[in-house]
Amino acid sequence: MQDRAGVAVLVCDPDGPPIATEGDALDLIGAAFLGATVVAVPATRLDPGFFTLGTRFAGEVMQKFVNYRLRLAIVGDISAHLDRSGALRALVAESNRHDQVWFVPDLAALDARLRATA
């Protein structure tokens, strides 16, 4: 748990276990209930299926966070995934226009988003 721009953020370890199932996402949500309002997940921890929208995994994970009223930040370089999928580019652009799920390149960018929404 970290205070980032005055917000309690559960910053997940980049070396932690992969997030490959809805259950893995629910584990993060459970951990966030210790006081976080935002969960920052390194993009490298997400199963590659997350970035293939046809699997529906991204939508399922994102919806879980919305249902539990937690913000989700995917942190890291996802440019290789974006290069392969126009649908993913559209999802990222739409998500970043709102306040629930963000795709940011690094924690400094997350801090800037948090300060802008305070």
Side-chain angles (χ1 to χ4, degrees):
M1 194 78 66
Q2 297 179 10
D3 179 292
R4 303 199 66 89
V7 177
V9 179
L10 175 63
V11 178
C12 299
D13 185 340
D15 296 323
I19 299 158
T21 67
E22 279 185 67
D24 297 335
L26 287 171
D27 288 344
L28 291 178
I29 289 167
F33 280 142
L34 297 174
T37 59
V38 178
V39 177
V41 177
T44 55
R45 290 220 11 221
L46 293 167
D47 184 86
F50 182 91
F51 300 103
T52 304
L53 298 185
T55 67
R56 298 180 179 239
F57 183 50
E60 292 165 355
V61 169
M62 292 166 63
Q63 188 61 51
K64 294 281 185 226
F65 279 86
V66 169
N67 290 348
Y68 286 96
R69 295 187 176 113
L70 290 168
R71 287 186 276 179
L72 172 64
I74 307 301
V75 181
D77 180 12
I78 61 167
S79 58
H81 299 290
L82 295 173
D83 289 345
R84 290 191 294 271
S85 174
L88 180 61
R89 281 191 304 277
L91 173 73
V92 168
E94 184 65 22
S95 294
N96 282 343
R97 278 194 276 278
H98 299 285
D99 194 38
Q100 196 67 43
V101 178
W102 297 330
F103 292 81
V104 295
D106 52 37
L107 289 173
L110 174 59
D111 292 346
R113 289 292 305 254
L114 292 170
R115 279 191 294 277
T117 61

